[in-house]
Every structure is written in C-alpha cells, then in structure tokens.
Amino acid sequence: METGLEKNHHGGGGLKRLRCSVQNYDWGKKGTEGSEVARLYELNSGSDIELEKKKPFAEFWMGTHGSGPSFVVESGVENGDSIGSGSMGLKEWILKNPNVLGDGVLDKWGCDLPFLFKVLSVAKALSIQAHPDKELAKVLHKLQPNRYKDDNHKPEMALAITEFEALCGFISIGELKGVLRDVPEIVEVVGSAEANQVLQIHEQDHEEKVKSVLRSAFTQLMSASQEITAEAISKLKSRLYMESKIRQLTGKEQLVLQLEKQYPADIGVISAFFLNYVKLNSGEALYLGANEPHAYLYGECIECMATSDNVVRAGLTPKLRDIQTLCSMLTYKQGFPEILKGFPLSPYITRYLPPFDEFEVDRCILPRGASTVFPAIPGPSIFLVMVGDGAMCTGSSKDVVMEGDVLFAPANSEISVSTASELHLYRAGVNSRFFQTLRW
C-alpha cells in the first residue's frame, strides 16, 4: 500500500516516519517487567528484542540530540531494517530541509530542533540532580566538556502516563523546622549550629536570608563524609523500623526506607527530607526550571525538555557527583511545585504549556470512531502513537499509523487524525506562546 510517506519523501513535505533510540540506564524498568520504553522501542524499530528484555529500558528518545538521535525512514525502507539502514539522521535531514522548521524557529534556534521528546520507564530512583541555566551550562561545558556535553540549559516537563512519583524543589521553611525536630539524624549530620539557624528563622525574615540559611544547611548535609552519612542512615533506619511497630510511618519516611534499599548509605536518602514528595496521577504534569533540585522516583512518563543532556548530580547515584556545583547553583525556592493539569484544546486534545519557549506537549485520547484536527502551527512537531492505530492526514497524504510509530511533522502542517479503534497520541512542539510573541 502506498502511503503519504511514499508520496511525500521529496523535499520537506508530509509526515516523516522516524526510527528512534533507546537508553538502557540501570534505573529503568526491565523489558520483562513491562517497560513502556521497551514496548515502544520494539514496535518502533521493528526488531525482536526478546533476548535483551532482561536489561533495563529507561528512556526512548525522539529528536536530534547526538547521544540518542532519531533517523528519518525514507520510502522503500522496510520495517525490519535496523536503525540507520537506508535512512538519514533527523538532524542531517533538517539541515537539508531547513524550511520544515519554519522561519521563527530557524531564526531563534538555528537549524535544529529546540526540544527533545522522551518516554521514561522508571523502576528505581534517578539521582538527585539539577540542570544548569544557559550561562552556567556554557561555563561547565567549557571547563569539563567530557562531563557536560553541551552548552544548553535543560528546562523539562514530566507528564504522567501511569501514577508517577518524584522529589521536586525544597519544602517550606515551616516544614523543614518540623523535619529538624522529628529527624535527629539530620541534626547529627548538619550540626546543631546549622540546625538552630534554620529553627530561628521567622516567616517575616527577608527571602534572601531564608535562602542563605537553607543553602548553608543543605550544602553541609550534602558535603557530609561517607562515614558520617553511613552512621546517620543506619541510625535512621533502625529508629524507623522500631517506630513502625507502634505508629504508621509517614509517606516520606516510607519513601526514605525504600530509597535506602536502592542506594544504601547514600546521602540522597537523607536529603529526601528536604524536598517535596510529589505524586502525579495519569494526565498531570510537573515542570522543572533550571537550577531546581529533583529526582524521579517511580512510574512511566512522557518527558520533554530543551535539547540538552546536562545533569549535575549529587545523590542517589553510582555516577560521578558534583556536589559543590549543585549546592552553589540551586535557586533555593521553597514550597510545593505547581502541578499542570493541562487545558482542553479541543474535545480530545489536552495541551500542557510550561513557562519555557522550547516546548509544549499535547495529549490526544481519541475514542473509537472519532476524529480530531491538530491545527497548523508555524513550527515543527513530533508525534508518538502510544496506544492503538488510526490514520493521520496532512494535505494530499494519508498515513496509516499504529502504536510505536513516531512521526515528524513540518511547520505549517494541519493534521487530521481518525481512528476505528482507540488512539492515544502525544505531540511535542515549540511552545505556542513563542509564536504569539513573534506576532507582536
């Protein structure tokens, strides 16, 4: 059957099917444990990964980042072909067809996608980390190019597919005072002088003073020696097991015991007490600006970010840590993060708009026999078919799509979607607010 992919492979017109990359980080869900990433990668690549399914499948990458590039599948390439066979890197293809980005995107970000689209399958906690802002990213990349591989910032958003858990941002000073009173092991690590400074802060104190005291206490905690850390965690664990016999442990205390099993004697276990414990329901999203501490804990999510892989780590990880950089770069804002529930773009499409120019995400749940339209926008999009099958039409072309398919849509493409079954589709694109500012 000839599809629009065959008709439209000249120039930049029409939808382009992509073969995408996978990352097997050790915190990922194993293929045998129902990793969504493993399922999508197997469907997308057309290859049998049965022998690899005992490996963790952590991230499915859709975009142009060099650490996990996508490839454009040209006409005549059979599904069974391996990545790169008879196909061109998406970045290279965009360089040859820059018009697919639209003028506004080309002017602002040059000949590349400004966003990286991912699916994550998280079986155990990722490192406590933050992403540098643009200025710091340039400095870190220049000083340590092997560790910080690009010079871009990495604001990001996680949109829950299943229930999804994360640590994100600092708890309020009021809550932190309660923690210092209830968790004596933290006081042992940071010292009573630091702890008292936190306890003596008043609500009306100047914001900078509050941040300074929080920075000092958190830096002291994260910089503790391995010996002090191991002893404090051992005491904490024993105390919580004893107390669990006579009272119900709090959600945070249960989490800390779980983290200790995953990363024994790691300072990240204790630092969880400083951070907000966030639980997202399917369809809720969390965005993370530069220099905000966070750690994804469990579940499956769609993630979108600026095209970067810059991470500064400081706990819950066997990887290299950069505690000094992390503690000096954080904003030390306090309070529970904003949860995005999205807003309806149409009866079947929900849009999630973070406060960053580089990206937005649409979630489309199309019931049996329904159809909808993604209006033309002046920038590029990447579509992921998560569940089901259907048809996507743009101009003169009609493409049959099914789960695991990833498609690139050029700027100014109006796309109508229909399904005879049920279709779950996600779209990443440049933030529509960015195009509104261009009009002024």
Side-chain angles (χ1 to χ4, degrees):
M1 181 184 86
E2 184 184 60
T3 70
L5 295 175
E6 275 93 43
K7 289 181 212 164
N8 269 316
H9 68 272
H10 301 295
L15 297 170
K16 291 289 176 185
R17 208 167 285 256
L18 301 181
R19 290 272 174 271
C20 301
S21 297
V22 74
Q23 307 286 3
N24 302 99
Y25 307 138
D26 70 347
W27 49 259
K29 262 192 194 172
K30 291 192 172 75
T32 49
E33 292 165 356
S35 162
E36 191 67 8
V37 166
R39 183 182 77 87
L40 291 169
Y41 175 65
E42 185 166 31
L43 290 165
N44 178 266
S45 63
S47 55
D48 183 3
I49 59 166
E50 202 54 50
L51 296 174
E52 299 177 68
K53 280 198 173 162
K54 289 191 174 133
K55 285 200 308 199
F57 283 78
E59 299 191 356
F60 183 62
W61 285 27
M62 299 163 279
T64 54
H65 196 284
S67 299
S70 296
F71 295 85
V72 176
V73 181
E74 292 296 359
S75 61
V77 175
E78 291 302 318
N79 276 359
D81 276 11
S82 60
I83 279 190
S85 170
S87 52
M88 180 188 289
L90 177 58
K91 190 166 187 173
E92 189 187 348
W93 182 80
I94 289 172
L95 281 167
K96 292 190 169 171
N97 300 280
N99 57 310
V100 298
L101 296 178
D103 294 342
V105 173
L106 260 174
D107 290 348
K108 171 94 188 247
W109 290 287
C111 215
D112 197 5
L113 285 182
F115 59 86
L116 176 57
F117 198 22
K118 296 181 181 181
V119 180
L120 270 58
S121 292
V122 181
K124 68 175 191 174
L126 280 69
S127 55
I128 289 177
Q129 58 184 253
H131 306 297
D133 59 31
K134 272 192 169 157
E135 294 313 306
L136 180 59
K138 282 176 183 159
V139 172
L140 293 174
H141 177 61
K142 192 173 178 185
L143 292 175
Q144 302 180 63
N146 291 339
R147 186 189 291 191
Y148 301 108
K149 295 188 190 313
D150 56 72
D151 62 0
N152 200 9
H153 67 161
K154 191 186 170 189
E156 64 187 28
M157 179 172 71
L159 167 55
I161 300 170
T162 62
E163 284 190 359
F164 193 76
E165 298 185 7
L167 291 169
C168 175
F170 288 101
I171 58 177
S172 69
I173 283 294
E175 288 172 286
L176 185 55
K177 286 180 178 182
V179 164
L180 291 175
R181 292 189 193 104
D182 296 343
V183 189
E185 297 82 8
I186 291 182
V187 179
E188 285 179 32
V189 176
V190 301
S192 50
E194 290 285 355
N196 284 335
Q197 276 198 307
V198 175
L199 292 168
Q200 284 159 17
I201 286 177
H202 299 293
E203 293 296 323
Q204 62 270 32
D205 279 341
H206 193 269
E207 186 188 0
E208 283 312 310
K209 182 187 174 184
V210 176
K211 285 185 178 181
S212 169
V213 168
L214 177 56
R215 179 188 294 115
S216 180
F218 188 69
T219 305
Q220 189 77 10
L221 178 81
M222 298 307 285
S223 310
S225 72
Q226 187 55 53
E227 197 181 346
I228 288 172
T229 303
E231 189 181 341
I233 290 173
S234 173
K235 283 183 179 173
L236 173 67
K237 194 169 131 184
S238 303
R239 178 174 66 78
L240 290 181
Y241 278 132
M242 291 293 289
E243 292 185 14
S244 70
K245 292 172 183 170
I246 51 172
R247 69 174 176 89
Q248 176 73 39
L249 294 183
T250 66
K252 181 66 78 69
E253 287 170 334
Q254 289 172 32
L255 170 66
V256 162
L257 288 177
Q258 188 185 322
L259 293 176
E260 191 278 332
K261 281 194 182 112
Q262 294 174 3
Y263 299 96
D266 188 305
I267 193 60
V269 173
I270 295 187
S271 67
F273 281 112
F274 277 66
L275 305 174
N276 296 294
Y277 185 15
V278 181
K279 294 181 180 181
L280 300 178
N281 295 311
S282 175
E284 293 181 335
L286 181 68
Y287 65 81
L288 302 152
N291 305 327
E292 295 295 345
H294 61 280
Y296 295 153
L297 301 172
Y298 186 78
E300 318 232 17
C301 75
I302 291 283
E303 190 181 40
C304 201
M305 61 193 58
T307 303
S308 170
D309 200 26
N310 274 329
V311 180
V312 182
R313 298 181 181 83
L316 301 181
T317 180
K319 293 183 181 174
L320 211 53
R321 301 164 189 234
D322 195 345
I323 287 165
Q324 193 181 349
T325 301
L326 182 100
C327 292
S328 64
M329 72 193 259
L330 298 179
T331 64
Y332 294 97
K333 277 187 213 145
Q334 299 114 46
F336 203 76
E338 183 185 353
I339 306 297
L340 297 181
K341 295 205 182 339
F343 62 89
L345 202 61
S346 69
Y348 306 121
I349 302 173
T350 305
R351 173 159 291 171
Y352 300 83
L353 266 182
F356 318 116
D357 282 350
E358 283 89 349
F359 60 88
E360 67 187 15
V361 173
D362 291 340
R363 177 184 191 242
C364 173
I365 308 288
L366 206 55
R368 180 189 298 257
S371 60
T372 192
V373 174
F374 285 87
I377 50 168
S381 299
I382 290 181
F383 286 87
L384 163 68
V385 183
M386 181 76 79
V387 173
D389 54 65
M392 291 175 75
C393 305
T394 166
S396 59
S397 75
K398 179 175 180 177
D399 294 301
V400 173
V401 295
M402 54 196 67
E403 49 195 44
D405 281 353
V406 180
L407 301 112
F408 176 89
N412 307 307
S413 310
E414 181 184 274
I415 296 160
S416 55
V417 186
S418 57
T419 179
S421 56
E422 182 178 332
L423 193 65
H424 294 198
L425 198 65
Y426 290 85
R427 181 193 76 90
V430 174
N431 197 305
S432 42
R433 286 194 194 118
F434 167 72
F435 300 115
Q436 286 159 10
T437 62
L438 293 183
R439 293 192 192 117
W440 295 103

